[in-house]
Amino acid sequence: MLDQFRKRLRAAARRLRRVERRELQDFRRWAEVTENLVHISMLVFVPLAIVLVTTLANVVPQLSFLLFPPLAAGTYTLFVDPTSKYSDPKRFVAGLTIGAVCGLVALAVSNSYLPVPGGQFGVNALGAGLAVFATGVVTWPLDIEEPSSYSTALLALLVEPNQRAAFVASVFVASSLVAAIFVVWREEFYERRATYLYESMSGDDHVLVPMRGESAGRTAMLGARLAAAHEAGKVVLLDMVSAGDAAEHSLTRETIQLDIRSENGAEPPSAETRPVGDGGDPATAPASPDRTDLEAEIDWLETHAARIETRTGVSCQVVVASDDGSPAKTTLQTAAETNCDLIVAPYESRHGALTPYLQRLFRSESDVVVHRSVSDRTRWKQVLVPVRSVSDVAHNMVDFATRLAGRSGRVAVATCIGSRGDRRRAEEMLADLIEPYEGAFETRVPRTDIQAFLADTAPQYDLVIIGASRDRSKASRFISPPTFERLEDVETDVAIVDRGRA
């Protein structure tokens, strides 16, 4: 009875941990969207900045509490759009401080020539107008216009005569403190958010390639170039044999992993041994008649592996596995056993749709790229990335595009808005999407539908990277099939990207 209770308790703990991991992963992907990240930052850092300034004001009585309204508004302006001209820390500090000075000057002038209204907070109307006018006149030519500077100019009219110098000092000190917090946040977190939040930037460097179909060699090279972008990258080439063949050759383990440079004890076969054209398929090369089918399969994999290591410098291994009647299950198990976080598979279709094998991979927890090759291309320097919105999948697509294009290539990111779409909003969305990445980018916002745009534009590029649209409902996919299923006539290589869902 006690053992049974312990088993139930352990099972409940495992389920709880899975739920926690899933929620954490969902939150991380939600936070990848720049707009969401900025709003989270405002909810955290704006109150934090006000707390620090308030604490300082309580310790130093000379600091005026009148500066709080413009300081809060200015802090919001800093964080709400970290790349705008109003998010310049120098502009922020100078604008608030000069506004306070202009307000005090306007107060002195108005008090000298005009009667002061009665009451505790009585302010001369012309003096208020003069404060705003003076602020605009001074900040405009100095290019330090700051919306909150007008607030400090008006608040300066309420300052007691013996506190005017302290008020200006308060504005300068408090705004400098907020600006310092903003600079640290922007440089250490916001501008490096891809490293902290975008899983593809630190992952997807161990790539498993199922060697299926005639284009398997080119797909393997695509996977290798994705892995080669990271120092720890590696590629595992997987070939599957039937359970009967495995039993015939005494393959008792489910997978047989062969490191082509160490466990074999010899260098891999050279190109002369099994000739391979540029991007060609070694399956057409003649095998030695005294070798078994399994040995020929291993030679075939090793030839591909040798070519990958020579051209990309990335470590490559080969695996022969028994599929047990379920190739997709074997592929996923092999990815887990070889510690691969990305599966790059050749495109397969049946009646215009993905084969059950690829559909099963897309429903898994693994990141998957499906490569449709239409030529012998093994390098992709000009890459087109059409997106619908900023998301974790969009970040994955842009990251993969930059890996393939490299420093000498070019990446174009596009979104189609139709005839009535908001072009400015679309351009801002694309700017947010590509801002964390380095490389040569161009953005395109065509007023057309995605299929027409790709039909006209895709042939100008080496590769189109597109999302799998798995976030759409079944009804939506039935009414309008995913874009990648409508690209049969596009004579360009296509990579379909899907993020696994844990």
Side-chain angles (χ1 to χ4, degrees), residues 153-221:
L154 292 174
L155 288 174
L157 303 178
L158 303 176
V159 177
E160 297 294 331
N162 61 342
Q163 296 180 347
R164 292 171 182 172
F167 177 72
V168 175
S170 299
V171 172
F172 177 79
V173 171
S175 60
S176 298
L177 179 60
V178 170
I181 295 174
F182 172 75
V183 169
V184 172
W185 170 81
R186 186 174 65 180
E187 294 184 356
E188 298 300 323
F189 181 74
Y190 180 79
E191 293 182 352
R192 302 172 62 184
R193 63 190 182 277
T195 303
Y196 297 130
L197 294 177
Y198 300 176
E199 293 177 300
S200 64
M201 295 291 286
S202 57
D204 291 334
D205 52 3
H206 292 181
V207 180
L208 176 71
V209 183
M211 302 296 285
R212 296 164 57 94
E214 297 180 357
S215 64
R218 299 185 289 274
T219 299
M221 191 61 69

Side-chain angles (χ1 to χ4, degrees), residues 154-326:
L154 292 174
L155 288 174
L157 303 178
L158 303 176
V159 177
E160 297 294 331
N162 61 342
Q163 296 180 347
R164 292 171 182 172
F167 177 72
V168 175
S170 299
V171 172
F172 177 79
V173 171
S175 60
S176 298
L177 179 60
V178 170
I181 295 174
F182 172 75
V183 169
V184 172
W185 170 81
R186 186 174 65 180
E187 294 184 356
E188 298 300 323
F189 181 74
Y190 180 79
E191 293 182 352
R192 302 172 62 184
R193 63 190 182 277
T195 303
Y196 297 130
L197 294 177
Y198 300 176
E199 293 177 300
S200 64
M201 295 291 286
S202 57
D204 291 334
D205 52 3
H206 292 181
V207 180
L208 176 71
V209 183
M211 302 296 285
R212 296 164 57 94
E214 297 180 357
S215 64
R218 299 185 289 274
T219 299
M221 191 61 69
L222 177 75
R225 296 200 186 280
L226 291 175
H230 292 172
E231 292 184 1
K234 77 169 183 180
V235 178
V236 177
L237 306 183
L238 169 65
D239 193 19
M240 287 173 277
V241 298
S242 66
D245 289 340
E248 179 182 350
H249 293 280
S250 302
L251 303 184
T252 56
R253 293 192 304 163
E254 184 173 1
T255 61
I256 312 298
Q257 182 167 324
L258 304 171
D259 188 317
I260 65 172
R261 292 208 180 277
S262 60
E263 295 182 23
N264 280 350
E267 290 294 313
S270 64
E272 289 76 18
T273 304
R274 295 180 64 85
V276 183
D278 185 36
D281 191 347
T284 60
S288 176
D290 59 347
R291 285 183 172 270
T292 65
D293 290 342
L294 179 60
E295 290 172 333
E297 290 288 338
I298 294 175
D299 272 355
W300 179 71
L301 290 177
E302 289 180 344
T303 302
H304 276 299
R307 185 164 60 103
I308 286 172
E309 288 200 338
T310 300
R311 295 191 181 184
T312 67
V314 69
S315 173
C316 192
Q317 295 175 314
V318 300
V319 170
V320 177
S322 169
D323 63 17
D324 291 331
S326 177

